[in-house]
Amino acid sequence: MLQIQLKVRGAESRRFLPPIHTKASTRTSSSRTFPTFFLLLLFLLPARADEGMWLPMLIRQKIPQMQELGFRLTAEDIYSVNQACLKDAIVHFGGGCTGEVISAEGLLITNHHCGYGQIQAHSTVEHDYLKDGFWARTRKEELPNKGLSVTFLRRMEDVTQQVLEGVTDQMSEVERQGIIEANIKKIGEETLRGMDPGFYSVRITPAYYGNQYFLYLNQTFRDIRLVGAPPSSIGKFGGDTDNWMWPRHTGDFSLFRIYANTDNEPAEYSQDNVPYRPLHHLSISAKGVKPGDFTMVYGYPGRTQQYVLSSAVDYIANHSNPQKIHLRTLRLEVMNREQAKDQAVRIQYSNKNAGVSNSWKKWQGESRGILNANTIGKKQEFERLFQVWAEASGRQEYITLIPRMKELYKELEPYMFASEMYAEAVMAVELLRFANTLESTLVRSGTARAVEVAEDFFKDYYLPIDKEIFELLFAEFYRVMEPLGHLLPADAIHPLSSDTPLGGNPLSRDGLRFSRLAAYLYGTSALADRQKTMDLLAKDSASALDHIRQDPAFLLVSPFVEKNHTGIQPRIAEINRELNLLYRTWMQAIMEFDNNRIFYPDANSTLRVTYGTVQGYSPADAVMYLPVSTIEGIMQKDNPEIFDYNIPQSLRDIYAAREFGRWETDGTVPVCFIATNHTSGGNSGSPVLNGDGHLLGLNFDRVWEGTMSDIEFNLSVCRNISVDIRYVLFIMDKIGNAKYLIDELDIIE
Ligand code: ARG
Ligand code: ASP
């Protein structure tokens, strides 16, 4: 696939930044006249050793500091284009997680929650791999996964100069954008010349809001097979109760294998494919960690917003998060109740529930962390000092920056809020989202594909859950959107109200109204019923489309989709275009102003290195957490009565006999540990490496008090959580009896 992603956010570029990761070396004369600023700034936003997500290509600059903490390798060992190195063992797993190769035969490890969708897809009530775990005994038993791919970074490059070639100070933003887009397309095509576009792709993305551009050449493998997974009672031990929390005891891992054609090149699934022989695979350290040890995480963090203004943080922490949390609480209450009643429903909704619950809980921790750390207050103070400095500097473009950005945020907020409410309420109703997807699938890809979409949908659909969620979400949606009536579709719900005793104002808070609407919608929509939907799709695609467009579910959802598409998203894009332009200047300005601070580009799903040390933390007054958990804690939490804490009997037996084998350390088995690595969503499954680049564990989470790290990294509470590789090996060995897999690994004891 020729995939040249254009993520241009930028504006005009008059000055180029100093190379990334180095401090600006010169102070402006005006800053020299205000030395107290810098003292203050040091106090406000100190440059912290452990903070930062570094570009592998530029890691050289961080090596001395890493070595001080215990790193024993070179920059070339982390990233090199000339020799096999650690990066050649790292993959972007399924686009949302990280994984790493741990054997010469393409064995791949990632988190259980990253492989969860695949494990679920192979599960039925009879073969419940979620519940019982799965271990392929031979290569033949390894299970293919439609749609799953993993991507290696083959090389990266700073292409700022090429991307900006032909850009001048005088040209308009539109002209400039046109040139940048054309350059990006050209660079992408040149890079891919002679390569199979099915398996190689180029991504060119801006860093620092378009102050720099980097090219990533990727290679994608599409035959990825499931090899092993522990039972969920181990892989998801603690469930959503312990999620985002320390102390933690989750064996969050699963195993896959990359398959290639007989030339060791990526290929679509085929029985003739063979295990991939990687350029590099990780050695495993069974030596473990102790407090203070150096650790490094190498993976794909998704998105952070370290440099946004206080207004944006205020919106996230105090407005958006609380409302989204509330909507998800409503959904989760229904799902949890219904899942507890029925085994089949529990499986059907396990993945959906985990997804809904995950952000729901993260947002709570994030808002609280931001409040506790006074992030907004600190940012406001920073902005105040910046303004004084800007005015002293006399530079007009700096002076007007914050006031204009704040204005834009004010304009943006209602649109952002509406957009989030559409996503978290209207589109969270499965039937409505399905109606919309089915219609567009028919238009774009015809009936055959639409039948596939419908099969996928009904496999995991349970109408009573969805119907109740519809009622609750719509009532809440209209309640909060009432003051933003102009951002609602004018004709919403009306197409239905003529046929139902609903008439009148849809904004009414009358809950009954929504329950009547639900009864009508779920009683009459053909799309709520598998057989009716399949009958409908058996017609020729024109009449299928006709029917769908007359279906109550489609009639209900389409005005929202339309309004979002024409009245909300374009405005958001327009405001963001100007904001991002200003953020570009903002980045330049704060690098000059706050030149004691260390800058790194926000995460954008590109490969990063982050490092820190194993350390506990204090979550509350008079409480101190230790950084390592053990199997003793699993036994303390074990409770057959509580789903999240009901471990397999085999684990109880092994514990009772204390048969820990070669994985025993100090009389127990270490399970998880925390450290100060700056990670984010997407880092799940990332290798946690020691100073020699050996695998110590798998990153899978952060502590609740520290989920704010996407916005501010607060060293006192921001910790990443990893599962200790010795626990992984113990489970593979003792629970999975997968000695043949362990024999594939290079284990250093
Ligand atoms: N919080 C972790 C992350 O964001 C793990 C999520 C999966 N686990 C769960 N219990 N839902 O991905
Ligand atoms: N659990 C997250 C993930 O799936 C990691 C995190 O947000 O810390 O990537």
Side-chain angles (χ1 to χ4, degrees), residues 113 236 239-240 243-244 354 358 684 700-701:
H113 80 259
K236 205 186 164 184
D240 290 305
N243 190 23
W244 299 113
N358 195 42
S684 272
F700 70 95
D701 210 0

Side-chain angles (χ1 to χ4, degrees), residues 626-701:
L626 300 177
V628 175
S629 69
T630 67
I631 197 166
E632 312 306 323
I634 298 181
M635 304 319 294
Q636 289 163 12
K637 287 178 179 173
D638 177 29
N639 184 341
E641 307 288 303
I642 303 175
F643 183 78
D644 284 345
Y645 298 111
N646 182 12
I647 57 171
Q649 187 55 38
S650 50
L651 186 57
R652 288 188 193 115
D653 296 342
I654 291 164
Y655 181 81
R658 301 200 83 84
E659 279 168 3
F660 302 148
R662 68 196 261 218
W663 318 114
E664 174 168 335
T665 309
D666 299 328
T668 185
V669 182
V671 175
C672 293
F673 62 90
I674 52 174
T676 59
N677 301 290
H678 187 181
T679 55
S680 186
N683 266 126
S684 272
S686 299
V688 184
L689 304 166
N690 68 10
D692 297 315
H694 301 152
L695 189 66
L696 288 170
L698 268 60
N699 182 77
F700 70 95
D701 210 0

Side-chain angles (χ1 to χ4, degrees), residues 285-321:
S285 168
K287 293 185 193 157
V289 293
K290 51 180 189 335
D293 279 0
F294 172 85
T295 60
M296 163 179 136
V297 176
Y298 205 168
Y300 282 91
R303 179 158 181 257
T304 60
Q305 311 178 70
Q306 311 287 339
Y307 306 106
V308 292
L309 291 195
S310 57
S311 326
V313 182
D314 184 31
Y315 170 74
I316 295 167
N318 297 324
H319 196 34
S320 159
N321 280 355

Side-chain angles (χ1 to χ4, degrees), residues 339-351:
Q339 282 179 273
K341 283 189 201 159
D342 186 306
Q343 179 75 348
V345 177
R346 185 185 62 71
I347 298 177
Q348 282 183 318
Y349 276 71
S350 54
N351 203 24

Side-chain angles (χ1 to χ4, degrees), residues 53 236 388 463 486 583 632 730:
M53 299 173 169
K236 205 186 164 184
V388 176
L463 188 143
H486 66 291
Y583 265 118
E632 312 306 323
F730 165 79

Side-chain angles (χ1 to χ4, degrees), residues 96-98 111 113-114 243-244 252 300 358 362 679-685 699-703 707 709-710 719-721:
C97 278
T98 307
N111 289 146
H113 80 259
C114 295
N243 190 23
W244 299 113
D252 199 343
Y300 282 91
N358 195 42
K362 185 203 157 177
T679 55
S680 186
N683 266 126
S684 272
N699 182 77
F700 70 95
D701 210 0
R702 280 170 285 168
V703 305
T707 51
S709 66
D710 291 346
R719 299 288 180 274
N720 68 310
I721 307 180

